[in-house]
């Protein structure tokens, strides 16, 4: 009877105990899979993953790596199922069994060996700064946690430089972390390597506490989320766009350059928007730039369309036709925008890749909100 | 010296699971003045009651203690038991060893010790209990029904047919409620107006019914058997005594309002009747859109009225009525689906909610029964009906709204009957629990309605290929086919959650009712007393209690009528005697009691300068007695000496 399956409840129990208890609440209404941006694009179906987890059915392997943890399903779920927790629990149960897909092993190995996911040398973490920016010392107000992607990824290094310049001009007391810090580890949590995450977390916590760090500013919403909600400390964290919005409002930094009427649209990163409710600050910054015509896409704010980079998606190789960031660029193009702005290094990496592989560099440019703001200060 | 009997109930396992009842009984036997102590599985049952009555006679008991469930459950029962055995009913005290002991701990030791302590306290108190005499007061034989939908109408007719006078108060200009908005009703496909308009007419004609439309209840005072209710007759600006219903005034009126009855699909005039079969058939003027009230010019209606019935000077009038019982049948609202942005209501004209669609189907509706889109001419060639919009959803309303699966099936049938359209039904579960309901579902499958099992995730206009141009695309993961689908349709019908009326809380406050966690009016007990409330004399029926279909609504209305009749068919009713009384010699006139009483029972006698307590209003809560600085107030049955004695008994025990 090769077409008959039998529930294997011990597997379901293991997943529930690993943090996926709310899978019991699911009544398979299909709101999650109907809402998920991936369902029409790839084989992955989140509802099926939960169904298999409920009964311990085979086939979980095919569905466990698709989710980019964008949280749209969680927001819509009528039963309050913590879907991302279930995804993480399933992955931790299986990844613990050594079933990480090939494309994800590299970045996990890099984190294990070098404390960052980009196979960069740990001591070269601050090389992008070229010695121009202060290191955090006790007594300074803000630690600017740059995010590994901003330190090592060539496109995002430009964001690091722009943001550092802004901080210098702001008159705030701030400093970069030393090269002893490691990655916030957020992507490890999402792919289920909870043990390694804890190791990296303890190291960072120790360094922060030794330096008496309380206030932080980050450019990555993923770092923001991790330090704020997963480090179990009481850090006072702001995202960079919130910082800039505050500086504009208090008059400390005033945008000068006129952008000549370019159309700019904004992509809400999932971890800044849905996960942390920050929708207005980036828009305030963009709308404060003179000569910018701000246009909204249709899928904005709580309905933003994921770029596909979260949950380990940044490192997964996807074929053409299976990339969410391609669809997002299409949507941006349909608004007539010349520039798509965003505020997350993962979104930048994904959308930048899409623009180049779709060959639309002449039609639309990708900028971080901070890069546009920095440009506007030049006058 | 008292002769006390202690009767300890097992309540099945409810008490016996945690309290060692035999041990408690043995303990009770050791207490002074206790001449008999017994146990039984269900003391409230006939054999249990007979044990008590038998022992009262055999042992010549003069005080009875029953250790069982909460007095709210059976105090009245046991009072009657001892009264029938010849004892004054107030020589009973109930010890709660269920809700206060076995339902709050799993520890047998603690439970048993506490039960013993409570009984010890009760014995101390029982020695000091006095016989009390109930007073009897007259009962007003009239009944007030609030709400003129099917529930209110049915309840009013039933009470009126039983020979009692009914005041039927309806807030809108006509009776009929939501039901008269419907076209056909499931599962019989009866035309709603055909079955309801005769009843609407009946309430208008019945000699025992005083139909008060365009009226609202503004104040309720009094108590069961003697309510004084203030009803506001809102100004119609039409004198209904003179008006003969010719409706000439409505023809030329320039005022533009939005038809509430037609769910905003069309406009109406300022002087209007809400729908052609309105009862009464006489118009009202909506002063918010009346050109005369807004600009001082017009008065066309006044000019054409041959009866001289238009009266712009009219004002709201207040009338006081006396009733013995009140039935609340105020109905429901549909939730506003606009905030559920994923479905595009309000954004895409092709998206409708269920009441709008009822008006489209209805032959007396804005399209004369033709199914067309909002342009009032295009017929849809494909329709998707979306279930569970806002219901069964933690983000909106957790409960199931009960009727939408069935009316969605009805819609599918009517769409098939009136159009050539392809019909899709997107559902999570098909709920068809009534008589002939499952068969109705089976019939719809035979009518080739396409059922898709999956909750619709999104309605969008974004097209992915040229075939989708001009359509609304419904996105859904069909769980049975295991496929994500894009279904292109011309029209989307949403089945929104049914929720309490927006002012249900105000109604509740007026009548001293509780509301449940969703805001529905709360019944006394969901299974055994679904129509009565914690306020004696006030009953609820229909969707104001919880979403339900017409058969259940009518059943509840008839039940509420019966409940109301149990009060108003009696000439007199017995008042609770465990109330407070003021010793005039000790009263200093400080008014503390007047200020603390939540029920307005103590009233100052200005002449004598002392407080007097209205026994009918007093609930015996004891606040006044506690707040009286001269101890002039005695809370009968809970007097100071009785309470102190009980405390002595409690503290004597080591916990």
């Amino acid at each position: 009877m090769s077409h008959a399956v039998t529930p294997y409840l011990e597997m379901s129990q293991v997943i529930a105990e690993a943090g996926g208890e709310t899978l019991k609440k699911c009544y398979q209404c299909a709101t999650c899979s109907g809402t998920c941006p991936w369902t029409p694009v790839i084989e992955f179906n989140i509802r099926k993953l939960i169904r298999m987890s409920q009964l311990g059915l085979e086939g979980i392997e095919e569905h466990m790596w698709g989710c980019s943890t964008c949280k749209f399903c969680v927001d819509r779920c009528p039963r309050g199922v913590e879907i991302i927790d279930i995804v993480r629990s399933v992955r931790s149960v299986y990844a613990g069994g050594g079933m990480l897909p090939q494309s994800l092993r590299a970045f996990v190995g890099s984190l294990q060996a070098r404390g960052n996911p980009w196979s960069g040398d740990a001591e070269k973490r601050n090389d992008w700064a070229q010695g121009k920016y202060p290191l955090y010392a006790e007594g300074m107000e803000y630690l600017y946690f740059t995010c590994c992607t901003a330190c090592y990824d060539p496109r995002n290094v430009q964001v690091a430089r722009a943001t550092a310049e802004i901080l210098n001009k702001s008159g705030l007391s701030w400093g970069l972390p030393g090269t002893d810090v490691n990655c916030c580890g957020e992507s490890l949590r999402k792919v289920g390597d909870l043990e390694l995450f804890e190791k990296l977390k303890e190291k960072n916590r120790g360094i922060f506490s030794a330096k008496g760090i309380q206030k932080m500013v980050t450019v990555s919403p993923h770092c923001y989320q991790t330090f704020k909600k997963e480090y179990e400390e009481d850090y006072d964290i702001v995202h960079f766009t919130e910082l800039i919005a505050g500086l504009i409002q208090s008059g400390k930094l005033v945008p000068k350059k006129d952008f000549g009427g370019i159309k700019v649209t904004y992509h809400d990163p999932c971890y800044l928007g849905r996960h942390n409710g920050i929708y207005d600050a980036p828009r305030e910054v963009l709308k404060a730039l003179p000569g910018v015509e701000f246009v909204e896409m249709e899928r904005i704010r709580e309905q933003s369309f994921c770029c596909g980079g979260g949950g380990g998606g940044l490192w997964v190789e996807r074929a053409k036709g299976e990339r969410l960031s391609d669809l997002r660029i299409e949507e941006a193009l349909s608004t007539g925008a010349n520039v798509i702005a965003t505020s997350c290094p993962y979104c930048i990496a994904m959308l930048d890749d899409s623009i180049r592989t779709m060959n639309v560099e002449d039609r639309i440019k990708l900028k971080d909100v901070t890069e546009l703001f920095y440009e506007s200060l030049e006058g | 010296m008292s002769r006390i009997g202690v009767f300890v109930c097992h309540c099945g396992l409810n008490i016996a699971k945690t309290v060692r009842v035999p041990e408690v009984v043995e303990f009770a036997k050791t207490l002074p003045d206790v001449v008999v102590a017994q146990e039984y599985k269900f003391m409230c049952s006939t054999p249990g009651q007979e044990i008590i009555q038998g022992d009262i006679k055999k042992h010549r008991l003069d005080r009875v203690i029953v250790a069982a469930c909460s007095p709210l459950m059976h105090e009245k029962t046991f009072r009657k038991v001892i009264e029938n055995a010849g004892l004054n009913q107030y020589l009973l005290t109930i010890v709660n060893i269920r809700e206060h002991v076995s339902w709050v701990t799993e520890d047998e030791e603690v439970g048993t010790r506490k039960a013993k302590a409570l009984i010890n306290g009760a014995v101390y108190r029982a020695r000091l209990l006095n016989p009390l005499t109930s007073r009897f007061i007259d009962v007003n034989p009239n009944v007030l029904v609030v709400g003129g939908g099917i529930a209110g109408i049915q309840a009013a007719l039933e009470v009126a047919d039983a020979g009692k006078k009914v005041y039927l108060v309806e807030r809108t200009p006509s009776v009929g409620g939501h039901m008269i908005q419907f076209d056909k009703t499931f599962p019989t496909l009866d035309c709603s107006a055909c079955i309801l308009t005769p009843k609407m007419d009946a309430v208008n004609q019945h000699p025992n019914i005083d139909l008060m439309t365009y009226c609202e209840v503004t104040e309720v005072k009094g108590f069961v058997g003697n309510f004084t209710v203030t009803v506001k007759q809102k100004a119609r600006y039409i004198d209904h005594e003179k008006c003969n219903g010719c409706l000439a005034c409505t023809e030329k009126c320039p005022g533009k309002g939005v038809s509430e009855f037609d769910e905003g699909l069309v406009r109406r005039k300022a002087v209007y009747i809400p729908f052609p079969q309105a009862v009464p058939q006489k118009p009202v003027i909506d002063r918010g859109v009346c050109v005369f009230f807004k600009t001082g010019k017009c008065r066309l209606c006044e000019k054409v009225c041959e009866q001289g019935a238009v009266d712009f000077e009219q004002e709201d009038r207040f009338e006081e009525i006396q009733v013995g019982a009140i039935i609340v049948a105020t109905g429901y609202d549909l939730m506003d689906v606009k905030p559920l942005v994923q479905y595009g209501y309000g954004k895409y004209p092709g998206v409708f909610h269920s009441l709008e669609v009822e008006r489209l189907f209805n032959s007396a509706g804005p399209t004369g029964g033709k199914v067309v889109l909002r342009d009032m001419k295009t017929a849809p060639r494909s329709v998707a009906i979306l279930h569970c919009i806002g219901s069964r959803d933690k983000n909106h309303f957790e409960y199931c709204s009960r009727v939408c699966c069935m009316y969605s099936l009805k819609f599918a049938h009517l769409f098939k009957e009136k159009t050539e359209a392809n019909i899709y039904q997107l559902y999570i579960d098909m709920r068809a629990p009534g008589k002939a309901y499952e068969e109705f579902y089976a019939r719809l499958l035979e009518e080739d309605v396409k059922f898709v099992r999956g909750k619709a995730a999104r309605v969008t206009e974004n097209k992915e290929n040229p075939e989708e141009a001009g359509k609304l695309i419904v996105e859904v993961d069909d769980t049975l086919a295991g496929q994500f689908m894009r279904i292109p349709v011309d029209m989307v019908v949403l089945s929104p959650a049914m929720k309490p009326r927006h002012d249900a809380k105000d109604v509740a406050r007026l009548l001293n009712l509780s509301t449940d966690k969703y805001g529905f009016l709360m019944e006394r007990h969901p299974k055994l007393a679904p129509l009565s409330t914690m306020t004696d004399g006030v009953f609820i029926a229909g969707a104001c209690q919880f979403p339900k279909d017409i058969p259940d609504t009518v059943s509840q209305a008839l039940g509420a009528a019966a409940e109301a009749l149990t009060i108003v068919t009696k000439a007199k009713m017995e008042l609770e005697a465990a109330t407070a009384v003021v010793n005039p010699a000790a009263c200093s006139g400080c008014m503390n009691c007047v200020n603390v009483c939540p029920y307005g029972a103590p009233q100052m006698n200005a002449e004598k300068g002392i407080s007097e307590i209205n026994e009918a209003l007093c609930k015996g809560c004891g606040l006044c007695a506690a707040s009286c600085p001269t101890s002039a107030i005695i809370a009968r049955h809970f007097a100071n000496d009785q309470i102190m004695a009980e405390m002595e008994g409690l503290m004597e025990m080591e916990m």
Side-chain angles (χ1 to χ4, degrees):
Chain A
M1 284 199 244
S2 57
H3 283 286
V5 295
T6 303
Y8 182 40
L9 297 181
E10 285 81 1
M11 176 51 74
S12 178
Q13 205 175 355
V14 165
I15 294 172
E17 282 166 8
E21 319 77 42
T22 58
L23 61 79
K24 296 170 197 163
K25 296 190 192 183
C26 168
Y27 63 169
Q28 289 285 299
C29 67
T31 302
C32 55
S33 45
T35 305
C36 174
W38 290 106
T39 318
V41 175
I42 57 175
E43 191 67 30
F44 162 68
N45 185 306
I46 183 65
R47 174 189 58 80
K48 288 187 185 171
L49 179 67
I50 296 175
R51 186 62 183 151
M52 292 165 180
S53 305
Q54 284 180 322
L55 292 178
L57 298 174
E58 279 180 26
I60 288 187
E61 299 84 24
E62 277 99 79
H63 290 280
M64 51 188 276
W65 298 110
C67 173
S68 49
T69 69
C70 80
K71 198 177 173 266
F72 209 176
C73 56
V74 177
D75 285 354
R76 291 270 158 90
C77 174
R79 278 286 156 98
V81 177
E82 294 296 343
I83 298 169
I84 295 181
D85 288 358
I86 296 174
V87 169
R88 191 182 55 248
S89 305
V90 170
R91 288 175 178 180
S92 75
V93 165
Y94 278 79
M99 290 182 80
L100 266 182
Q102 189 65 37
S103 49
L104 298 181
R105 291 192 200 172
F107 93 86
V108 173
S110 170
L111 278 160
Q112 174 92 20
R114 297 166 193 264
N116 70 79
W118 296 106
S119 300
D121 288 337
E123 321 82 60
K124 298 195 177 162
R125 192 188 176 88
N126 286 338
D127 279 11
W128 64 270
Q130 294 162 341
K132 288 201 271 181
Y133 306 110
L135 283 181
Y136 185 87
E138 205 157 340
M140 285 179 168
E141 197 185 353
Y142 283 102
L143 171 75
Y144 175 25
F145 195 91
T146 27
C147 174
C148 303
T149 311
C151 294
Y152 294 105
D153 174 68
R155 173 60 184 89
N156 277 294
V157 161
Q158 298 168 35
V159 178
R161 294 206 180 102
T163 47
E165 282 295 316
I166 293 171
L167 279 169
N168 263 358
K169 290 187 198 251
S170 69
L172 294 169
S173 138
W174 73 283
L176 291 170
T179 54
D180 53 345
V181 301
N182 46 230
C183 180
C184 66
E186 74 88 37
S187 32
L188 285 171
R189 265 202 112 214
K190 307 303 187 301
V191 302
D193 197 338
L194 303 175
E195 212 182 299
L196 183 54
F197 171 77
E198 287 298 317
K199 234 179 77 185
L200 296 179
K201 165 178 156 184
E202 281 319 300
K203 177 141 184 266
N204 272 353
R205 276 177 64 176
I207 296 171
F208 294 159
S209 127
K211 293 223 160 97
I213 288 169
Q214 225 289 302
K215 279 174 115 165
M216 282 200 242
V217 55
T218 70
V219 80
S220 164
H222 293 261
C223 299
Y224 180 98
Q225 164 92 349
T226 311
F227 294 143
K228 191 170 185 135
K229 297 185 184 163
E230 287 153 23
Y231 264 40
E232 293 163 303
E233 295 277 357
D234 227 340
Y235 304 124
D236 188 349
I237 309 190
V238 287
H239 183 260
F240 218 98
T241 52
E242 293 184 296
L243 192 78
I244 299 179
L247 292 169
I248 296 176
Q249 220 182 35
S250 62
K252 281 217 182 105
L253 284 179
V254 179
K256 287 196 280 281
K257 166 177 166 177
D258 190 305
F259 283 83
I262 56 162
K263 270 196 174 146
V264 177
T265 189
Y266 177 69
H267 160 79
D268 289 278
C270 301
Y271 272 80
L272 194 61
R274 269 190 294 270
H275 280 270
N276 286 292
I278 300 173
Y279 303 104
D280 292 315
R283 287 178 167 80
E284 280 163 33
V285 175
L286 290 173
K287 288 181 190 172
L289 303 177
V292 158
E293 190 192 326
F294 183 73
V295 292
E296 294 272 22
M297 292 183 278
E298 197 187 324
R299 294 179 288 198
I300 58 169
R301 294 179 171 261
E302 294 89 348
Q303 292 120 70
S304 181
F305 190 80
C306 181
C307 73
L314 190 51
W315 290 278
V316 175
E317 283 297 323
R318 294 214 184 272
K320 250 219 183 287
E322 291 186 353
R323 297 177 196 161
L324 294 188
S325 42
D326 283 8
L327 295 170
R328 194 51 157 167
I329 294 298
E330 273 174 30
E331 186 175 1
L333 287 169
S334 74
T335 65
N338 313 107
V339 175
I340 174 169
T342 187
S343 39
C344 167
Y346 287 15
C347 295
I348 296 243
M350 300 295 288
L351 295 169
D352 185 61
D353 187 72
S354 285
I355 291 178
R356 282 187 285 106
T357 55
M358 288 162 76
N359 290 315
V360 292
E361 286 138 299
D362 50 340
R363 291 172 61 193
I364 192 161
K365 300 264 177 293
L366 169 70
K367 293 274 181 192
D368 191 280
V369 170
T370 55
E371 289 179 311
L372 284 170
F373 183 69
Y374 177 54
E375 230 184 291
S376 80
L377 295 177
E378 305 289 68
Chain B
M1 288 301 293
S2 306
R3 297 181 64 79
I4 301 176
V6 176
F7 301 92
V8 187
C9 184
H10 286 232
C11 196
L13 279 174
N14 269 318
I15 292 174
K17 194 169 55 140
T18 317
V19 175
R20 294 192 291 264
V21 175
E23 195 183 306
V24 170
V25 168
E26 289 311 306
F27 164 76
K29 286 184 184 158
T30 67
L31 301 177
D33 294 323
V34 174
V35 301
V36 65
Q38 301 265 34
E39 61 179 285
Y40 190 61
K41 265 216 164 10
F42 298 102
M43 206 54 92
C44 52
S45 64
T46 304
Q49 294 182 23
E50 282 171 357
I51 290 177
I52 298 177
Q53 290 177 323
D55 276 356
I56 289 175
K57 297 201 177 97
K58 182 164 147 201
H59 296 277
R60 292 169 290 117
L61 299 177
D62 59 20
R63 299 286 184 279
V64 173
I65 294 175
V66 176
C69 52
S70 161
L72 272 175
M73 292 292 294
H74 286 307
E75 184 168 53
K76 284 206 162 55
T77 314
F78 290 117
R79 279 184 180 174
K80 287 288 168 256
V81 166
I82 73 172
E83 194 178 54
N84 288 337
L87 277 185
N88 179 286
Q89 52 176 322
Y90 292 92
L91 296 174
L92 164 79
T93 181
I94 305 271
V95 177
N96 185 342
I97 58 171
R98 191 181 74 172
E99 283 85 337
H100 284 191
V101 179
S102 92
W103 278 5
V104 295
T105 182
E106 283 175 9
D107 185 332
E108 238 185 66
E109 283 311 312
V110 167
T112 307
R113 264 186 287 151
K114 183 172 175 184
K116 289 180 187 170
L118 288 173
I119 288 176
N120 199 38
V123 169
Y124 269 73
R125 172 160 175 249
R127 294 189 191 112
L128 299 177
L129 285 176
N130 293 318
L132 298 171
T133 324
S134 311
R135 271 213 313 155
F136 285 82
I137 54 167
D138 288 334
V139 172
N140 185 296
N142 304 333
V143 175
L144 165 66
V145 176
V146 183
I150 176 65
I153 289 173
Q154 190 64 66
L157 286 171
E158 197 74 355
V159 173
D161 281 347
K164 298 296 172 186
K165 180 180 166 90
V166 179
Y167 296 98
L168 177 53
V169 173
E170 162 58 41
R171 168 168 62 184
T172 66
S174 165
V175 291
H178 278 302
M179 186 177 163
I180 197 64
Q181 287 178 296
F182 303 162
D183 181 42
K184 303 250 173 44
T185 54
F186 62 80
T188 48
L189 295 174
D190 285 303
C191 151
S192 171
C194 303
I195 57 178
L196 182 54
T197 48
K199 290 187 198 268
M200 287 162 59
D201 189 62
V203 296
N204 200 13
Q205 309 276 15
H206 203 297
N208 283 348
I209 298 180
D210 193 342
L211 177 59
M212 305 170 82
T213 57
Y214 215 49
C215 286
E216 280 181 37
V217 172
T218 56
E219 196 179 8
V220 178
K221 290 207 287 254
F223 47 96
V224 57
N226 289 278
F227 290 110
T228 303
V229 180
T230 311
V231 178
K232 174 171 80 171
Q233 168 69 68
K234 298 186 283 194
R236 295 182 175 112
Y237 308 107
I238 307 269
D239 182 341
H240 274 211
E241 304 284 305
K242 296 188 182 153
C243 170
N244 65 2
C246 74
L247 297 181
C249 51
T250 64
E251 272 156 46
K252 300 285 186 191
C253 171
K256 287 194 179 30
V258 176
S259 170
E260 298 89 344
F261 186 79
D262 281 322
E263 295 295 320
L265 288 173
V266 283
R267 292 193 175 285
R268 58 159 170 78
K269 306 288 176 87
V271 59
Y272 72 106
I273 57 168
F275 54 97
Q277 300 79 26
V279 168
Q281 269 276 295
K282 298 178 183 177
V284 306
I285 297 181
D286 173 2
R287 81 179 273 160
V289 299
C290 167
V291 172
F292 168 68
F293 277 114
K294 293 209 297 191
T295 66
K297 301 195 178 62
C298 185
R299 300 179 88 125
L300 251 174
C301 49
E302 195 181 38
K303 292 189 190 98
V304 305
C305 178
E306 284 174 4
Q307 307 295 117
V310 178
D311 176 9
F312 291 109
E313 307 296 303
Q314 221 182 60
E315 285 179 355
D316 295 343
R317 266 187 322 111
F318 293 85
E319 194 184 323
E320 234 180 47
I321 58 176
Q322 309 289 340
V323 297
I326 302 176
I327 298 175
V328 184
T330 46
Y332 67 91
D333 277 339
L334 273 192
M335 77 172 283
D336 178 12
V337 283
K338 218 157 167 201
L340 277 70
V341 293
Q342 62 268 43
Y343 299 116
Y345 179 81
K347 180 174 169 193
Y348 304 128
V351 179
F352 291 78
H353 68 65
S354 47
L355 275 175
E356 286 178 315
V357 172
E358 292 278 4
R359 297 311 304 150
L360 288 180
F361 283 129
N362 195 297
S363 55
T367 61
K370 286 219 309 277
V371 179
V372 287
L373 299 172
R374 286 185 208 269
D375 61 6
M376 291 292 160
K377 44 186 175 79
T378 319
R381 288 151 301 169
S382 47
V383 182
I385 304 176
L386 277 43
H387 293 217
C388 295
I389 303 303
S391 300
R392 305 181 68 188
D393 190 335
K394 255 189 152 162
N395 303 312
H396 302 284
F397 301 95
E398 265 189 85
Y399 51 84
C400 163
S401 290
R402 202 170 164 123
V403 298
C404 343
C405 276
M406 291 307 296
Y407 74 57
S408 296
L409 288 174
K410 172 194 80 177
F411 283 162
H413 170 81
L414 291 172
F415 275 119
K416 283 282 180 188
E417 202 180 66
K418 294 188 180 230
T419 71
E420 301 291 311
N422 290 322
I423 314 295
Y424 297 90
Q425 289 239 21
L426 279 61
Y427 69 99
I428 306 174
D429 293 291
M430 281 308 294
R431 297 190 154 175
K435 193 161 186 173
Y437 286 15
E438 182 67 24
E439 297 90 319
F440 192 63
Y441 174 28
R443 170 180 173 177
L444 263 302
L445 278 161
E446 287 187 29
E447 292 186 12
D448 204 24
V449 172
K450 299 300 180 187
F451 287 85
V452 174
R453 197 231 166 237
K455 181 167 164 184
R458 197 179 285 122
V459 176
T460 175
E461 269 183 347
N462 296 335
K463 56 184 199 292
E464 286 193 351
N465 56 60
E467 278 105 65
E468 292 182 350
K471 298 272 193 199
L472 290 171
I473 315 295
V474 180
E475 294 186 341
V476 60
D477 178 24
D478 179 337
T479 65
L480 297 179
Q483 300 268 45
F484 181 83
M485 286 184 190
R486 289 172 64 85
I487 307 180
V489 293
D490 292 324
M491 183 175 181
V492 171
V493 178
L494 304 175
S495 302
M498 279 166 79
K499 67 179 179 82
R501 289 271 187 199
H502 62 96
D503 60 349
K505 286 219 150 35
D506 299 329
V507 170
R509 203 175 303 122
L510 257 184
L511 289 152
N512 217 3
L513 302 179
S514 304
T515 51
D516 68 13
K517 67 177 169 179
Y518 302 117
F520 291 108
L521 300 180
M522 193 136 95
E523 64 287 306
R524 190 178 271 252
H525 188 282
K527 286 198 280 273
L528 298 178
L531 305 177
S532 44
T533 64
M534 294 309 279
T535 303
D536 287 338
V538 180
F539 306 98
I540 54 179
C544 64
Q545 184 248 352
F546 194 73
K548 54 178 64 72
D549 52 26
I550 294 168
D552 284 353
T553 300
V554 169
S555 303
Q556 281 205 339
L558 296 171
E563 295 251 38
L565 286 168
T566 64
I567 297 184
V568 300
T569 50
K570 299 193 180 99
K572 290 201 182 281
M573 61 182 264
E574 190 181 343
L575 284 182
E576 168 76 40
T579 54
V581 66
V582 178
N583 174 1
C587 174
S588 63
C590 73
M591 286 182 68
N592 261 11
C593 54
V594 176
N595 292 333
V596 303
C597 177
Y599 306 102
Q603 279 135 25
M604 277 306 284
N605 182 323
E607 242 182 71
K608 299 188 197 160
I610 56 165
S611 169
E612 286 168 344
I613 296 183
N614 178 334
E615 271 180 65
L617 286 172
C618 174
K619 297 273 178 201
C621 72
L623 261 175
C624 55
S627 70
C628 177
T630 57
S631 296
I633 299 185
I634 300 165
R636 286 182 291 207
H637 202 56
F638 292 98
N640 286 353
D641 59 341
Q642 291 162 351
I643 294 187
M644 297 298 275
E646 185 162 9
M647 288 192 344
E648 225 186 290
L650 283 170
M651 289 190 288
E652 197 177 66
M653 302 288 299
E654 266 171 44
M655 278 306 297

